[in-house]
Amino acid sequence: MNLIARRAPLAAALAACLLAACQSAGPQSNDDAPARTEVAPTPAEAARQAAEARRQDDEAKALREESESLDRVEVTGARARRSKVEVPQANLSAPAPAMAYAPPPAPPSPPYYSQPANTEKYAERDDNPVQRASEQPVSTFSIDVDTGSYTNVRRMIGDGMRPPADAVRAEEFLNYFDYGHPAAASREVPFRVSTELAPAPWNAKRQLLMVGIKGYEVPKTTLPPANLVFLIDTSGSMNAPDKLPLLKRAFSMLAREMRPQDRISIVVYAGSAGLVLPPTPGDRQGEILAALEQLQAGGSTNGGEGIRLAYAMARQAYVDNGVNRVILATDGDFNVGTVDNNALETLVGDQRKSGIALTTLGFGRGNYNDALAEQLADVGDGNHAYIDSAQEARRVLVEEMGSTLLTIARDVKIQIEFNPAWVAEYRLIGYENRVLAREDFANDKVDAGDIGAGHEVTALYEITPVGSGVERLPALRYGAQDATRTDAAARGSELAHLRLRYKRPGEDDSRLIETPIRASQLQAKASPSLRFAASVAGFADLLRGGSRFDGWGWDQVLATARGARGDDRSGQRSGFVQLVEAARPMIEPDTDAVVSE
């Protein structure tokens, strides 16, 4: 049906309406009305009407041609023949359907970020050297409560990748596990120091000294008000399942633990920094969770601007005598804005002095900047953890929330002076980037590590006793001889003397704790906790090349760990055994797979 045919019924209907209207008017019944008279058109008028009729005929012809052209669409192309596609015609007489409102579709999720190459960064370091006690009797270091190295290495091994040596930090392996150190009895002295001395599992002629520190435990219900700023990396590199999605799940767990007196802010950074959620009470969890859920990854990483905005929010909601902390969650890929590490450390250090701490949480693989994440946490009086699973997120942010958030002691330093009459040599296992100069111990201007509520810190020293015959360092030609005397009167009863300095929160002057370590403390056999700690240290050494433990190999490490699992309710020690079994074929490719007992 062409357009003229379709318009005919409409024209007929209009004509009928006009005719009916004329008929309804009827003849004039008013006597005074003038009579109607038919007048013939003039020649000029007749010519005008003829011209109008021709114009209408032309328009009708044009409409007919237009209608015919709408009945077909010709498709052409360089490699296609001409064809006709029938276009169905709409029924103009049918009523138009009602238009229902449909919300615009949600924007599609951006594709996952593809990292072109592995650009992970780890700080280069060497193992602590063996020290001769007669030359260097004093060992000083800052405590460390970080655990990120262990979980990051666990992720690599789970991926079937051999960890680089610099990714392995023995102290963070040790501090991942609970050894049952006794806790402080009151907040007057916020932590308790304990020691254990026993033969080293890898060589009975050596000794292993374990120093344990346990912070005062504070129930979650009595934690002071918390002012937390979630500083979240939303750059394009975070667009992977083990990055932003896992991050949102982790922070959602922490948000559900918040109370009405707590405050949460959310700051994101990519190409630029932005405020997603201003300081919000912890009981408004719906708003907090909705703000987390809407986050998407995209853009480059302007970490410097994000940190500045996060600290501004922390200052705005600052809580006196409370927990004020920025929690930075990132893969560490800083590539826009303030990228100089020294500038970032200065910024974080300045904010630390104003009472705002910084905790860093690492996520993902491929471009993880472990070196920067750990260093910022150290400078910011916080701790660094790596989140490789939802289970690890729960451990760090829910189960250990008090120790993660509430600092009970600041600038904690340990100094041990070894008695050369008893100790020929010693070596501190791990803590290479925490070693302090001897004079820094009593200098309260020198920053050191912090301890959170319930935190546990473990350090191990390998000791070579005088006269053992297993000294690693050759004798000195002109060395002092008196230090090697073996008579009891000359040696006394002290094998070493331990000093510990710390500051209470809000105080500038440190306090001193001293305790002797007596030779009589030597046990015939190490406790299960010390044996398990030794196996953890041995595993870290094997991953770094296996050169420090007198040939202690995989079989011995596994046997020691299996025999020291004890009451492993959390399953962490059994998980460690499985990790060692999984790592062994990567280091020794010809080793047959071992099934955990």
Side-chain angles (χ1 to χ4, degrees):
M1 181 184 294
N2 57 32
L3 283 180
I4 294 177
R6 290 198 301 270
R7 291 182 180 183
L10 180 60
L14 291 174
C17 291
L18 291 174
L19 179 60
C22 293
Q23 291 175 347
S24 64
Q28 296 286 345
S29 58
N30 189 343
D31 295 339
D32 295 331
R36 298 181 63 181
T37 304
E38 295 294 336
V39 179
T42 64
E45 181 66 21
R48 188 188 64 77
Q49 291 177 355
E52 179 66 20
R54 287 194 300 271
R55 187 185 64 79
Q56 291 178 356
D57 289 341
D58 293 340
E59 289 181 354
K61 182 179 179 181
L63 285 171
R64 186 164 52 251
E65 292 175 350
E66 180 183 357
S67 173
E68 292 173 352
S69 69
L70 288 173
D71 285 342
R72 67 182 183 275
V73 176
E74 291 192 358
V75 180
T76 62
R79 298 164 62 183
R81 293 178 299 175
R82 298 175 78 91
S83 61
K84 292 186 179 181
V85 180
E86 295 296 326
V87 179
Q89 298 301 314
N91 185 359
L92 298 181
S93 62
M99 297 296 293
Y101 172 75
S109 299
Y112 281 133
Y113 176 85
S114 177
Q115 180 70 20
N118 191 320
T119 59
E120 295 184 4
K121 299 180 180 66
Y122 300 95
E124 185 178 352
R125 63 187 180 83
D126 296 322
D127 293 331
N128 286 323
V130 174
Q131 300 284 0
R132 195 191 308 270
S134 59
E135 300 170 1
Q136 186 67 265
V138 178
S139 171
T140 308
F141 67 97
S142 163
I143 63 97
D144 185 12
V145 297
D146 295 345
T147 61
S149 174
Y150 179 78
T151 47
N152 184 37
V153 167
R154 182 175 66 186
R155 180 264 303 176
M156 294 184 199
I157 294 173
D159 289 346
M161 181 177 72
R162 177 174 179 169
D166 289 331
V168 179
R169 293 187 289 274
E171 70 277 9
E172 297 188 24
F173 278 44
L174 289 168
N175 287 327
Y176 186 83
F177 299 95
D178 182 3
Y179 302 99
H181 302 316
S186 69
R187 301 185 76 166
E188 181 63 25
V189 179
F191 49 83
R192 181 175 173 181
V193 181
S194 60
T195 58
E196 181 180 350
L197 182 66
W202 49 88
N203 188 333
K205 293 184 178 182
R206 303 191 194 279
Q207 296 171 1
L208 193 60
L209 172 64
M210 180 164 68
V211 178
I213 301 174
K214 181 65 176 289
Y216 177 77
E217 294 180 341
V218 179
K220 290 182 182 180
T221 55
T222 62
L223 287 173
N227 163 35
L228 306 180
V229 180
F230 298 168
L231 176 55
I232 299 175
D233 182 353
T234 55
S235 62
S237 64
M238 292 292 291
N239 199 18
D242 60 345
K243 294 187 179 182
L244 188 58
L246 178 58
L247 182 156
K248 293 195 290 187
R249 187 174 179 184
F251 275 130
S252 296
M253 294 179 186
L254 178 56
R256 291 186 175 93
E257 300 294 318
M258 295 294 99
R259 305 158 299 174
Q261 62 266 38
D262 301 324
R263 295 290 182 273
I264 287 181
S265 309
I266 300 178
V267 173
V268 299
Y269 64 93
S272 60
L275 177 64
V276 173
L277 184 74
T280 301
D283 58 348
R284 287 161 59 177
Q285 294 182 4
E287 297 178 37
I288 299 170
L289 296 176
L292 286 169
E293 186 58 32
Q294 73 175 3
L295 300 180
Q296 290 189 348
S300 51
T301 314
N302 195 335
E305 289 302 318
I307 290 177
R308 290 187 181 89
L309 180 57
Y311 277 122
M313 289 298 101
R315 290 192 299 270
Q316 178 179 322
Y318 191 88
V319 180
D320 293 327
N321 300 317
V323 176
N324 297 278
R325 187 176 295 267
V326 173
I327 303 179
L328 168 61
T330 179
D331 59 3
D333 185 19
F334 290 76
N335 51 39
V336 173
T338 304
V339 295
D340 180 72
N341 287 11
N342 293 329
L344 284 174
E345 291 172 16
T346 300
L347 171 65
V348 172
D350 289 343
Q351 296 300 323
R352 177 199 72 217
K353 296 174 185 177
S354 67
I356 302 173
L358 176 71
T359 287
T360 59
L361 303 178
F363 289 84
R365 67 201 72 192
N367 61 331
Y368 175 53
N369 193 335
D370 172 85
L372 180 58
E374 186 208 9
Q375 187 60 28
L376 290 180
D378 292 346
V379 175
D381 275 357
N383 56 302
H384 167 59
Y386 179 87
I387 307 297
D388 62 342
S389 65
Q391 181 180 2
E392 183 65 17
R394 177 168 295 280
R395 188 186 78 88
V396 172
L397 297 176
V398 177
E399 297 172 5
E400 299 180 357
M401 183 175 68
S403 56
T404 301
L405 300 181
L406 178 61
T407 299
I408 60 173
R410 297 174 43 246
D411 293 343
V412 183
K413 307 170 187 175
I414 295 176
Q415 186 174 78
I416 297 181
E417 181 181 351
F418 291 95
N419 182 353
W422 283 99
V423 178
E425 299 167 351
Y426 68 88
R427 182 174 69 89
L428 174 62
I429 299 174
Y431 294 92
E432 285 84 2
N433 60 356
R434 295 283 189 158
V435 172
L436 297 174
R438 181 174 175 178
E439 62 271 19
D440 290 343
F441 179 73
N443 185 352
D444 288 344
K445 299 296 183 182
V446 175
D447 181 53
D450 296 355
I451 290 181
H455 250 152
E456 195 175 84
V457 181
T458 301
L460 294 178
Y461 279 94
E462 181 194 54
I463 294 173
T464 302
V466 169
S468 63
V470 290
E471 293 85 352
R472 289 193 172 101
L473 301 177
L476 294 175
R477 181 178 179 87
Y478 305 108
Q481 301 299 315
D482 292 341
T484 62
R485 292 179 57 187
T486 58
D487 56 286
R491 292 193 292 178
S493 63
E494 292 185 5
L495 180 127
H497 190 77
L498 186 151
R499 305 179 185 92
L500 188 145
R501 283 194 176 274
Y502 71 96
K503 298 175 186 174
R504 288 181 172 180
E507 295 182 354
D508 295 326
D509 297 328
S510 65
R511 299 172 181 242
L512 177 65
I513 296 176
E514 297 184 88
T515 183
I517 302 171
R518 304 189 183 280
S520 59
Q521 292 181 223
L522 179 65
Q523 302 176 12
K525 183 179 180 179
S527 68
S529 290
L530 180 52
R531 295 201 308 274
F532 187 79
S535 68
V536 173
F539 176 52
D541 180 67
L542 290 171
L543 293 176
R544 288 182 57 79
S547 62
R548 299 289 182 174
F549 283 74
D550 290 341
W552 211 37
W554 292 92
D555 289 336
Q556 292 78 19
V557 168
L558 277 168
T560 303
R562 288 175 183 143
R565 279 179 288 194
D567 185 12
D568 186 26
R569 296 182 182 180
S570 66
Q572 291 181 356
R573 295 191 179 190
S574 296
F576 170 77
V577 172
Q578 295 171 4
L579 186 67
V580 177
E581 293 170 350
R584 184 176 185 177
M586 300 178 189
I587 312 300
E588 296 182 338
D590 296 333
T591 303
D592 294 333
V594 179
V595 179
S596 179
E597 297 177 355

